[in-house]
Amino acid sequence: MTSSVPRLVIAAPSSGSGKTTVATGLMAAFAARGLAVSPHKVGPDYIDPGYHALASGRVGRNLDAYLCGPELVAPLFLHGARGCDIAVVEGVMGMFDGAAGEGELASTAHVAKLLRAPVVLVVDASSQSRSVAALVHGFASWDPEVRVGGVILNKVASDRHEALLREALESAGVPVFGVLRRVAQVDTPSRHLGLVPVAERRGAAVDAVAAMAEQVRAGCDLDGLVSLARGAGALSCAAWDAAEVLASSPPPPRPVPSPGAAAPSTPPGGSAPGPPSALTGPRPQTPDGLVVAVAGGPAFTFSYAEHSELLAAAGAEVVPFDPLRDEQLPDGTAGLVIGGGFPEVYAAELSANEPLRKAVSALAETGAPVAAECAGLLYLCRELDGQPMCGVLDASARMEERLTLGYRDAVAVSDSSLAVAGTRMRGHEFHRTVVEPEAGDAAAWGVRVPRRRLEGFVQRGVHASYLHTHWASVPGVARRFVERCRTS
């Protein structure tokens, strides 16, 4: 099977050059023309895809060759691009910057090659004129397998400045597809982990995306960019499909014991599920299957769309809820997923929602599966910056100045609702908080880099960790999670 969705990769020499403005503006400008636009982001970032979704009207999806493996980049791309007229892929950092110490792995250039997509280089031209030709020539010739199809010049000061830049690039033989003038920055405020997510800005985010779209529409050759996108090479692979990958993935390594089954109190490497609690009583199932509640709202905005798709394919009814506003879990909740976000920003409001904190604690006491990543880990702690949280874990969390950031190779060290001990996964850390202790009596992961350590907590059905993982890389974790929902 071959597919040839028109597509562009938006790259830059470095961070801060204007990739997000150009990529988001292009998505919105193409959508305004009536095109169905598929939005994508290279790397693990959760925030930019929110702006992409607002611009395109479709779910923003990540393409990460480290978390998922190079072999899944094209299938995941085709999954997201089903039925679309054009796809725009925003790069990460500088074009050739990837996973530390891993060469090109997970770089924008690597993903562009995997997608056989032309690259548009966004160049901050604010402090140069003729030198831009040498810069662009270097990026265009560094790797002959990467096709730099043209440039968009950002922060251009005047007509005279534009003429000098165009003259230089003409001699270098690189087309100019757009010129964005030096104007007041589009209102996209940042804080300790980057841009403020769309879910927290609402009307302001809509205005910001509209401003990006107008800037790109006025300054770029949209017809030329569509023509360039149509020159992308065919992809000889099938689109990723959650149901198909679950059907072909290995079954759970062994049956997941129900609370009433005979089982040792502490199985090798982990904790046994606890008995059902009278605090919640039975958890009724809906006619469509088991309910897996997924935290959302402004405090929990970080998740990969494929996680919910895998849970649904495994037989769960995925029901979102907002821990800032909802005082109870969705009816019939049999399992709980709490992804990343900014609970530290909303600690007082989360703490004030005592009914929901008690409901989460009661659910965890029954042994029901609870998967928590980063923000979810903080929410399950006893306290966050002195504010009471759910108290599921005997741990405290607090903000700190130091940024913890980077890819991680991890091995499950305890049997859990997600994985059997020994399961290898790749993850990503991105936070300015610390949890004490760092790991429970049964840890979630063993991590070697940047230092060898045990990390996270496994107790009863809870799996809580700082690590963000992409379940498409090991789809069996979703099936195992749903199986535990059925038997807990």
Side-chain angles (χ1 to χ4, degrees):
M1 175 183 292
T2 60
S3 178
S4 188
V5 179
R7 54 198 178 274
L8 297 170
V9 172
I10 308 302
S14 64
S15 295
S17 299
K19 290 191 305 291
T20 299
T21 295
V22 170
T24 306
L26 278 174
M27 292 170 192
F30 287 145
R33 285 187 158 199
L35 298 177
V37 181
S38 182
H40 302 266
K41 170 69 180 179
V42 177
D45 175 64
Y46 294 98
I47 298 175
D48 289 345
Y51 286 87
H52 297 169
L54 195 60
S56 66
R58 293 176 65 95
V59 174
R61 295 179 183 270
N62 295 72
L63 300 171
D64 195 309
Y66 186 93
L67 292 184
C68 296
E71 69 281 358
L72 278 183
V73 167
L76 285 170
F77 167 81
L78 291 174
H79 169 60
R82 278 191 180 100
C84 285
D85 301 309
I86 192 168
V88 178
V89 181
E90 181 186 344
V92 61
M93 301 186 293
M95 187 165 79
F96 296 104
D97 301 327
E102 298 283 351
E104 73 171 3
L105 178 63
S107 67
T108 303
H110 186 206
V111 170
K113 290 195 287 186
L114 293 169
L115 295 180
R116 304 188 68 197
V119 173
V120 176
L121 195 68
V122 179
V123 177
D124 179 351
S126 59
S127 299
Q128 58 185 315
S129 57
R130 191 165 177 266
S131 296
V132 73
L135 174 69
V136 171
H137 173 75
F139 274 83
S141 61
W142 177 261
D143 184 342
E145 294 183 36
V146 178
R147 177 190 169 199
V148 176
V151 301
I152 292 176
L153 300 169
N154 193 22
K155 300 182 183 178
V156 176
S158 63
D159 291 345
R160 174 61 176 159
H161 188 199
E162 177 181 340
L164 291 171
L165 295 166
R166 285 185 177 275
E167 180 183 2
L169 287 167
E170 184 178 356
S171 66
V174 180
V176 177
F177 282 104
V179 174
L180 306 185
R181 290 302 172 91
R182 191 181 302 168
V183 296
Q185 188 173 7
V186 174
D187 181 22
T188 51
S190 299
R191 61 176 179 225
H192 59 286
L193 294 182
L195 294 179
V196 177
V198 163
E200 298 183 49
R201 301 187 63 218
R202 299 181 181 161
V206 172
D207 292 342
V209 169
M212 295 179 204
E214 177 55 27
Q215 193 175 3
V216 166
R217 185 202 61 77
C220 294
D221 176 6
L222 297 181
D223 291 332
L225 289 165
V226 169
S227 178
L228 179 65
R230 287 176 177 156
L235 297 174
S236 56
C237 63
W240 182 89
D241 181 270
E244 290 179 3
V245 298
L246 281 181
S248 61
S249 65
R254 60 182 180 179
V256 179
S258 63
S265 58
T266 52
S271 303
S277 168
L279 292 172
T280 57
R283 294 186 301 277
Q285 296 181 20
T286 66
D288 295 326
L290 296 166
V291 171
V292 173
V294 178
F300 296 97
T301 55
F302 293 4
S303 74
Y304 297 127
E306 291 81 6
H307 289 199
S308 290
E309 291 167 352
L310 284 165
L311 289 169
E317 180 184 357
V318 178
V319 180
F321 72 103
D322 184 349
L324 289 177
R325 295 176 177 83
D326 297 326
E327 294 190 343
Q328 295 298 324
L329 292 168
D331 290 343
T333 293
L336 177 60
V337 176
I338 316 173
F342 293 97
E344 62 272 26
V345 175
Y346 295 96
E349 293 94 326
L350 290 169
S351 184
N353 191 351
E354 186 176 5
L356 183 65
R357 292 194 289 111
K358 288 183 175 179
V360 170
S361 179
L363 181 74
E365 281 292 320
T366 70
V370 179
E373 289 186 350
C374 199
L377 165 66
L378 305 183
Y379 186 53
L380 295 184
C381 286
R382 185 176 61 253
E383 63 176 13
L384 170 57
D385 285 336
Q387 299 281 353
M389 291 290 123
C390 295
V392 172
L393 305 174
D394 187 17
S396 63
R398 57 179 170 80
M399 286 283 293
E400 67 170 6
E401 289 297 318
R402 183 175 63 92
L403 174 64
T404 299
L405 170 68
Y407 286 121
R408 306 286 186 256
D409 277 313
V411 179
V413 295
S414 306
D415 289 345
S416 73
S417 57
L418 285 183
V420 67
T423 301
R424 302 188 71 91
M425 288 190 77
R426 285 183 157 182
H428 185 263
E429 280 191 271
F430 186 42
H431 58 89
R432 289 187 188 271
T433 59
V434 62
V435 169
E436 295 170 337
E438 188 175 21
D441 293 338
W445 302 109
V447 181
R448 290 183 298 172
V449 177
R451 59 184 176 85
R452 188 179 296 271
R453 72 191 196 279
L454 296 177
E455 190 271 341
F457 301 77
V458 171
Q459 61 184 56
R460 295 189 176 91
V462 174
H463 183 285
S465 162
Y466 265 125
L467 236 59
H468 293 291
T469 58
H470 201 304
W471 292 1
S473 66
V474 186
V477 301
R479 181 166 56 187
R480 182 176 174 88
F481 187 86
V482 174
E483 286 300 313
R484 179 65 66 91
C485 289
R486 297 187 193 283
T487 58
S488 64

